[in-house]
Amino acid sequence: MEGGWPSGGAFLLCLTVNLLLPGRSNTFTINCSGFHRHGVDPAVFQTIFNQKDFRPVINYSIPTQVNISFTLSAILDVDAQLQLLTSFLWLKMIWTNPFISWDPEKCGAISKLTVTTENLWLPDIFIVESMDVDQTPEGLSAYVTNDGHIVYNKPTRVTSICSLDIFYFPFDQQNCTLTFSSFLYTVENMLLGMEKEVWEIADTSRDIVCTQGEWELLGINKATPKMSVGSSLFDQIMFYVAIRRRPSLYVINLLVPSSFLISIDALSFYLPAESENRAPFKITLLLGYNVFLLMMNKLLPASGTPLISVYFALCLSLMVVSLLETIFITHLLHMASTQPPPMPPWLYSLLFHCTSPGKCCPVALWNENTGPGLMSTHLPGLKEPGQLVGKELGSREAELNGGSGLTSTQLADLWVQFSHMMDTFLFRLYLIFLASSIITVVVLWNT
Ligand SMILES: *[C@@H]1O[C@H](CO)[C@@H](O)[C@H](O)[C@H]1NC(C)=O
Ligand SMILES: *[C@@H]1O[C@H](CO)[C@@H](O)[C@H](O)[C@H]1NC(C)=O
Ligand SMILES: *[C@@H]1O[C@H](CO)[C@@H](O)[C@H](O)[C@H]1NC(C)=O
Ligand SMILES: *[C@@H]1O[C@H](CO)[C@@H](O)[C@H](O)[C@H]1NC(C)=O
């Protein structure tokens, strides 16, 4: 179709005819006699091909209407560090070339032809957010219909800048903008329109995108504000592409193991405080959690501080705090069994008050005893706390008030009791803090 045609007299004649009779569309009817017998004659299209450097309009005051639509076929990458969205689009553009028209009845019922795009004028539609050079493959063709419409489809890989907010990772949604605009033509020369309704674009794209990948297309909205640069006004169409991450990979690999480890840490409070196992157990858990964090670090976004990192830090610090608590309680118990210091009177009365029934101190709950392990193990010589309180404390208080001291065994018992009380109290604090932080994180994720 191309090459070989000498742009001689026939072209000049055509051009002369075109210039002499502007505005009459039948002037530009292509003589297609013989199309059905000899194939398309390149000569009849040569005039149009020679005009490809200029915008195809009869009257230059009339803007060219370019209708666009696209199908989002894949979301390839969302780079939170560089704030880039890489997607793949099939872009469709339709415009009219008034110089092309033929009568299909006379042309063997041919109503559309493909023409290589090198021979046609193409609108310079580009995506404003695109951060990469246009990687459209070469040698594409476009459909040319007998009434002058040119339908041009091209596949494009778009790397567009997008403000990504990864705070809610892995339950995040992103809203990226793709703005189609002409690079050169102002509103006097080019107007943009929609080839399809935006919901059609969204539906088609959703069907294609939903079968693959980490990201799911939620919807596409559009807006058509004009863009003014200096004194010129450019037509543009903005598409808001809303996408959502599928969180299952992260839930399974990050949240579930982390929750298991933190619940084991909470349960390890039920290991008897007197046993030697509690501290080593917690240290092992802490080590395990660190290894888990190191291994799963690559799944986290490379930049920013998502809520999930805060959650991990919180879990880690809770584990450290629970280890510190164990050390503290072990120290108290050790002190009680070796050389119990004299008990300050306020502590003594606190113990007494809190162990009497009907008081709302943490140890009042101790008698109802929800914590196994704390009560099931008694140091030799330690009596049931209720007994101790009910019978002995009263008399002891009298003794104390009377000025006489406690025997060292009784003092040791009291310290042991105090340690257990502290253990329960700190465990409850730990649980309250754990529950409130988990609830906060979950509530934040749900908003
Ligand atoms: C169309 O071209 C054929 C030769 O290809 C010629 O015989 C015929 O007269 C032309 N018709 C018109 C209307 O110019
Ligand atoms: C071109 O179009 C403008 C506006 O539609 C009109 O005023 C003008 O007369 C047209 N020019 C010609 C040569 O037809
Ligand atoms: C573009 O769309 C507008 C309005 O939807 C329509 O009037 C016009 O004919 C379309 N143009 C082409 C070339 O399809
Ligand atoms: C995306 O953002 C634009 C404006 O920034 C807004 O108009 C549009 O509704 C948002 N889309 C979604 C799905 O949130």
Side-chain angles (χ1 to χ4, degrees), residues 290-365:
N290 272 313
V291 172
F292 159 77
L293 284 186
L294 275 181
M295 283 175 62
M296 291 304 160
N297 203 25
K298 62 176 188 300
L299 281 183
L300 293 175
S303 68
T305 313
L307 193 57
I308 195 168
S309 301
V310 179
Y311 171 73
F312 286 156
L314 213 68
C315 287
L316 194 67
S317 28
L318 276 174
M319 287 185 170
V320 171
V321 165
S322 91
L323 182 61
L324 288 179
E325 191 265 2
T326 305
I327 292 172
F328 173 62
I329 298 297
T330 313
H331 171 73
L332 271 185
L333 284 170
H334 177 73
M335 201 178 64
S337 62
T338 50
Q339 33 179 295
M343 187 165 269
W346 61 267
L347 194 58
Y348 185 81
S349 42
L350 184 77
L351 254 184
F352 175 71
H353 276 293
C354 287
T355 45
S356 18
K359 294 282 192 303
C360 50
C361 305
V363 183
L365 297 164

Side-chain angles (χ1 to χ4, degrees), residues 31-34 41 44:
N31 178 356
C32 61
S33 63
D41 180 7
V44 297

Side-chain angles (χ1 to χ4, degrees), residues 204-426:
T204 325
S205 304
R206 202 178 293 122
D207 287 348
I208 292 172
V209 171
C210 81
T211 51
Q212 28 181 304
E214 184 187 346
W215 292 86
E216 171 187 10
L217 182 71
L218 284 182
I220 300 177
N221 286 328
K222 78 158 193 187
T224 50
K226 302 262 190 286
M227 173 174 62
S228 70
V229 177
S231 58
S232 2
L233 205 58
F234 292 87
D235 202 7
Q236 61 176 15
I237 302 184
M238 298 172 99
F239 292 98
Y240 301 113
V241 180
I243 53 176
R244 180 171 60 198
R245 198 191 296 269
R246 291 200 177 89
S248 53
L249 169 79
Y250 302 97
V251 170
I252 292 169
N253 285 306
L254 295 176
L255 290 180
V256 170
S258 172
S259 319
F260 279 154
L261 287 173
I262 194 75
S263 37
I264 293 174
D265 187 57
L267 287 177
S268 70
F269 276 95
Y270 289 115
L271 286 175
E274 289 85 5
S275 87
E276 312 260 290
N277 291 335
R278 212 205 249 191
F281 185 80
K282 291 202 176 204
I283 291 170
T284 318
L285 264 185
L286 196 61
L287 274 178
Y289 198 67
N290 272 313
V291 172
F292 159 77
L293 284 186
L294 275 181
M295 283 175 62
M296 291 304 160
N297 203 25
K298 62 176 188 300
L299 281 183
L300 293 175
S303 68
T305 313
L307 193 57
I308 195 168
S309 301
V310 179
Y311 171 73
F312 286 156
L314 213 68
C315 287
L316 194 67
S317 28
L318 276 174
M319 287 185 170
V320 171
V321 165
S322 91
L323 182 61
L324 288 179
E325 191 265 2
T326 305
I327 292 172
F328 173 62
I329 298 297
T330 313
H331 171 73
L332 271 185
L333 284 170
H334 177 73
M335 201 178 64
S337 62
T338 50
Q339 33 179 295
M343 187 165 269
W346 61 267
L347 194 58
Y348 185 81
S349 42
L350 184 77
L351 254 184
F352 175 71
H353 276 293
C354 287
T355 45
S356 18
K359 294 282 192 303
C360 50
C361 305
V363 183
L365 297 164
W366 190 33
N367 284 336
E368 293 138 39
N369 193 7
T370 48
L374 292 175
M375 282 310 302
S376 53
T377 54
H378 301 299
L379 282 185
L382 179 65
K383 291 183 184 151
E384 192 67 25
Q387 273 180 0
L388 187 73
V389 168
K391 294 172 186 163
E392 295 177 22
L393 263 185
S395 55
R396 273 197 212 148
E397 196 175 33
E399 276 174 34
L400 198 71
N401 291 345
S404 63
L406 296 163
T407 69
S408 71
T409 326
Q410 284 170 329
L411 194 61
D413 286 355
L414 272 180
W415 275 110
V416 167
Q417 205 187 348
F418 173 68
S419 311
H420 283 154
M421 180 182 112
M422 281 308 285
D423 194 31
T424 316
F425 173 66
L426 291 175

